[in-house]
Amino acid sequence: MAVDLLGGDDAPAVVVDGALRAVRADPDLHLLLVGPTEVAAGIVDALTPAQRTRITIRATRTAAGPTEHAPRADSTVRAAVSAVRDGAADALVSAGSTGATVSAAALGFGRWPDVRRPALVATLPAVSGPVVLLDVGGSLEPRPATLARHAVLGAAYAAVAHAVAAPRVGLLSVGTEAGKGDRPRRTADPLLAATALPGDARYVGLVEGYDVTSGIRADVVVTDGFTGNILLKAIEGAYAMAGGPPTSGGAPRAAALLGVAGTVVVCHGAATPDDVASGIALAAHLWRRRATDQVREQVALVPAGDGTDPEREDAPTRSAADRVHGVAVDSGPAPADPAVQNAPVARHAGHPPAYPGGTEAEVGT
Amino acid sequence: MAVDLLGGDDAPAVVVDGALRAVRADPDLHLLLVGPTEVAAGIVDALTPAQRTRITIRATRTAAGPTEHAPRADSTVRAAVSAVRDGAADALVSAGSTGATVSAAALGFGRWPDVRRPALVATLPAVSGPVVLLDVGGSLEPRPATLARHAVLGAAYAAVAHAVAAPRVGLLSVGTEAGKGDRPRRTADPLLAATALPGDARYVGLVEGYDVTSGIRADVVVTDGFTGNILLKAIEGAYAMAGGPPTSGGAPRAAALLGVAGTVVVCHGAATPDDVASGIALAAHLWRRRATDQVREQVALVPAGDGTDPEREDAPTRSAADRVHGVAVDSGPAPADPAVQNAPVARHAGHPPAYPGGTEAEVGT
């Protein structure tokens, strides 16, 4: 797991602490620490000799910075992406700016050809099982077609990452009757009803705020990144105030990025050491399940449409929708990155890869 | 307090139960039960003779119905509005369709002349004190000017209903730095910064989901009714899952309607008996503090602008924004309602009324 030591409001201290917890908790976990050598040394020094054999350092001195402009080529998040591309790591974890991480991942890995807008996917605990919530910040003003495509991503993710056999997919609105909601929801509801979903997933219609926390009506809740981001933070806050979520199964404080050809986990900027550790654990979990590639395979089996790009239909708002957290996302093929241009072809090349044999533990980080 | 016996998914049973709890909990509370006589009799029969002296019945047989069309003139919610207008009650409580209640109140009471869009205002418990959240469902796609006007409403409400001396008002977004958020937020943020707020209230800029549950950065959180409604339900759900909110001070399950010339409390359709009882208690609290009229006075001192109607500026989306939960809301003066036309002039006439002396208990419901 490549860990961006300089990402996050309280980096590097919080990331150092989180990385230590992750290494101690999982004896099969290997970390590639991307950041200043002296910061990485603070982690190494605190480990046992046996644990140190699971640490590698990639010296990098520049943070992506607090702003959401495209991150510099010499930044830790770009270096972490390069490390995954060149095979030095299997996945990357950053608590830095979401926009910077999404931008770096889209540039470095490339996006899946039939998913125009990557989505940040969070998993919330609920009594009846995990609830997958997307988007939680990648695409603030998605088109209805993007919401429909995210429904496909979320259904595949629930099946692959959480072993939900027949995911029920709902569209978040202010009531459950058809016609409830603002204009984007009223347009998206019939579109989702007509959208093919992977496997045994099915669309259950509009759901409400309660359903995000209860999980009774849906396993996957689709919304725009603006609503999802606010909702996730408020639910986290409510659980923090009330003394914790109902189950221990995964606090909702890290999100997976779907739609780019690599495994990426984003912790939020105000992450605690435990959040960083659980983000690293999530990345390891996803990698061990081959989740990103399996989702990609499932999504590829459910084409976006008739060959046209449905997410481009209403062009007038395109320039806004092409922005992720204020960062323009290039929609063309991944540009050549000098740092990775001569690297071996990444295993995440946008097509289903062939997998060598190996147990889960061997494939693990 | 006029109580709509037929409002809510589980009416009348839940409303009956809630009304009983409210009467037993507050010895100064008088209820006007609006609904079928036999339903009201179920409440009366369960009370002591002394408690029965605090009950009046207004026989009405028609529910507003589950749809969100304008409620029929003979519906319980319209009859409850009429009861308040003709002085038979001081405030009304309904767990029926939000759209129907808002529509009935706007028709029957009239809207405040300088507040085009009424707002539903919820109060959430937080460690550092109550957090006022608005709008939670009245106006799904507000203009930036409406968000600014709601900031004024929310600041006045925090001061009047919750005795917050200098309310800090935040605009909900996905980050706190200027420029964070979708287009409506990026437009509204500088507008709110330039908006005069009542009393000692001040605008603190963008806030995040955490701030809704923590209360650390803001006392008043302004958002659109779509996000607010979803957020409120999800937070309620999270507290229910985690075993309750951090303080007992007001579970967030009833909302006050601001912007109409009457005291109105909306419980949501899935209300429990305790929710209905706390909604009745909220209405009584607001009435005892003269909250609606005091908010109205404070808002009238902060004009909406230069005489033009700022909420009408961007006309192209007006027809959509004029709809509340799918119900068209007339923006003219309140039409003559045969049921109230010959009633004494209501005390909520859109101007600061003169109040007779009286202790709080005497003025109480």
Side-chain angles (χ1 to χ4, degrees):
Chain A
M1 304 291 110
V3 177
D4 172 5
L5 293 180
L6 297 184
D9 300 346
D10 300 313
V14 161
V15 183
V16 165
D17 212 354
L20 280 173
R21 293 178 197 210
V23 170
R24 289 167 179 157
D26 181 348
D28 293 320
L29 186 72
H30 292 246
L31 294 189
L32 177 72
L33 305 174
V34 183
T37 313
E38 67 273 19
V39 172
I43 296 173
V44 172
D45 291 348
L47 295 173
T48 67
Q51 288 166 340
R52 284 177 201 164
T53 64
R54 297 190 274 121
I55 301 291
T56 314
I57 298 170
R58 181 165 291 203
T60 312
R61 302 209 65 82
T62 310
T67 66
E68 299 205 324
H69 298 293
R72 290 168 51 166
D74 61 349
S75 63
T76 48
V77 68
R78 289 284 292 274
V81 167
S82 298
V84 174
R85 274 203 63 145
D86 67 21
D90 294 318
L92 87 88
V93 179
S94 178
S97 149
T98 300
T101 306
V102 173
S103 175
L107 287 168
F109 297 133
R111 284 189 272 170
W112 296 346
D114 51 0
V115 177
R116 177 156 295 278
R117 317 277 173 231
L120 277 168
V121 186
T123 302
L124 289 89
V127 166
S128 56
V131 173
V132 169
L133 176 67
L134 76 167
D135 181 16
V136 298
S139 203
L140 298 184
E141 296 173 80
R143 288 197 191 70
T146 298
L147 292 171
R149 203 67 186 143
H150 285 180
V152 174
L153 288 178
Y157 186 81
V160 168
H162 301 299
V164 179
R168 301 160 300 162
V169 179
L171 176 65
L172 191 58
S173 192
V174 297
T176 57
E177 303 93 345
K180 283 274 194 174
D182 58 4
R183 283 166 296 175
R185 262 35 76 152
R186 295 197 299 271
T187 308
D189 182 32
L191 185 62
L192 265 73
T195 296
L197 295 175
D200 292 327
R202 64 192 166 87
Y203 179 59
V204 299
L206 300 179
V207 298
E208 296 183 88
Y210 309 118
D211 298 302
V212 177
T213 38
S214 80
I216 292 170
R217 297 188 66 247
D219 307 297
V220 178
V221 174
V222 178
T223 191
D224 61 276
F226 182 83
T227 305
N229 180 284
I230 289 169
L231 195 56
L232 182 68
K233 290 173 179 169
I235 292 170
E236 289 176 6
Y239 284 140
M241 301 276 286
T247 68
S248 59
R253 301 186 66 109
L257 180 65
L258 294 182
V260 299
T263 299
V264 179
V265 167
V266 175
C267 303
H268 54 62
T272 64
D274 276 341
D275 297 335
V276 172
S278 71
I280 294 170
L282 172 61
H285 170 82
L286 295 177
W287 174 252
R288 285 164 179 162
R289 291 207 178 201
R290 298 204 297 116
T292 304
D293 292 311
Q294 283 200 65
V295 168
R296 205 275 154 282
E297 291 165 32
Q298 289 204 11
V299 170
L301 293 173
V302 186
D306 57 359
T308 62
D309 182 344
E311 295 182 50
R312 276 178 180 268
E313 270 169 15
D314 37 354
T317 58
R318 182 175 169 247
S319 65
D322 259 351
R323 299 178 73 81
V324 169
H325 256 282
V327 178
V329 174
D330 177 63
S331 55
D337 180 339
V340 299
Q341 211 164 14
N342 298 318
V345 173
R347 63 175 68 77
H348 316 281
H351 54 79
Y355 278 86
T359 68
E360 187 172 80
E362 286 169 2
V363 177
T365 61
Chain B
M1 302 292 112
V3 177
D4 173 5
L5 293 179
L6 297 183
D9 299 346
D10 301 313
V14 160
V15 184
V16 165
D17 214 353
L20 280 172
R21 291 177 199 209
V23 170
R24 288 166 179 157
D26 180 349
D28 294 319
L29 186 73
H30 293 247
L31 294 189
L32 177 73
L33 305 174
V34 184
T37 313
E38 66 274 19
V39 172
I43 295 173
V44 172
D45 291 348
L47 294 172
T48 67
Q51 288 167 340
R52 285 177 200 164
T53 64
R54 296 190 276 122
I55 301 291
T56 313
I57 298 170
R58 180 164 292 202
T60 311
R61 302 210 66 82
T62 310
T67 65
E68 298 207 324
H69 296 293
R72 291 169 49 167
D74 62 349
S75 63
T76 48
V77 68
R78 290 285 292 274
V81 167
S82 298
V84 174
R85 273 204 62 143
D86 68 19
D90 294 318
L92 85 88
V93 179
S94 178
S97 150
T98 300
T101 306
V102 173
S103 176
L107 287 169
F109 297 133
R111 284 189 271 167
W112 295 344
D114 50 0
V115 177
R116 179 155 295 277
R117 319 276 172 231
L120 278 167
V121 185
T123 302
L124 289 91
V127 166
S128 56
V131 172
V132 168
L133 176 67
L134 77 168
D135 181 17
V136 298
S139 203
L140 298 183
E141 296 174 78
R143 289 196 190 71
T146 298
L147 292 171
R149 204 66 186 142
H150 285 179
V152 174
L153 288 177
Y157 186 80
V160 168
H162 301 299
V164 179
R168 299 160 302 161
V169 179
L171 176 65
L172 192 57
S173 192
V174 297
T176 57
E177 303 92 346
K180 283 273 193 175
D182 58 3
R183 281 166 297 173
R185 260 38 72 153
R186 295 197 301 269
T187 308
D189 181 31
L191 186 60
L192 266 73
T195 296
L197 295 175
D200 292 327
R202 66 193 165 88
Y203 179 61
V204 298
L206 301 179
V207 298
E208 296 184 86
Y210 310 116
D211 297 303
V212 177
T213 38
S214 80
I216 292 170
R217 296 189 65 247
D219 307 295
V220 178
V221 174
V222 178
T223 191
D224 61 277
F226 182 84
T227 305
N229 181 284
I230 289 169
L231 196 56
L232 182 67
K233 290 173 179 169
I235 292 170
E236 289 176 6
Y239 283 139
M241 301 278 283
T247 68
S248 58
R253 300 185 68 106
L257 179 64
L258 295 183
V260 299
T263 299
V264 180
V265 167
V266 176
C267 303
H268 55 62
T272 65
D274 275 341
D275 296 334
V276 172
S278 71
I280 294 171
L282 172 61
H285 170 80
L286 295 177
W287 173 252
R288 286 165 177 159
R289 291 206 179 202
R290 298 203 298 116
T292 304
D293 292 312
Q294 283 200 64
V295 168
R296 205 275 154 283
E297 290 166 32
Q298 288 204 10
V299 170
L301 293 174
V302 186
D306 56 358
T308 63
D309 182 344
E311 296 181 51
R312 275 180 180 267
E313 270 170 13
D314 37 357
T317 58
R318 181 174 169 248
S319 63
D322 261 350
R323 299 177 73 82
V324 169
H325 257 283
V327 177
V329 173
D330 176 62
S331 56
D337 179 340
V340 298
Q341 211 163 16
N342 299 317
V345 172
R347 61 174 69 77
H348 314 281
H351 54 80
Y355 278 87
T359 67
E360 189 172 77
E362 286 170 2
V363 177
T365 64

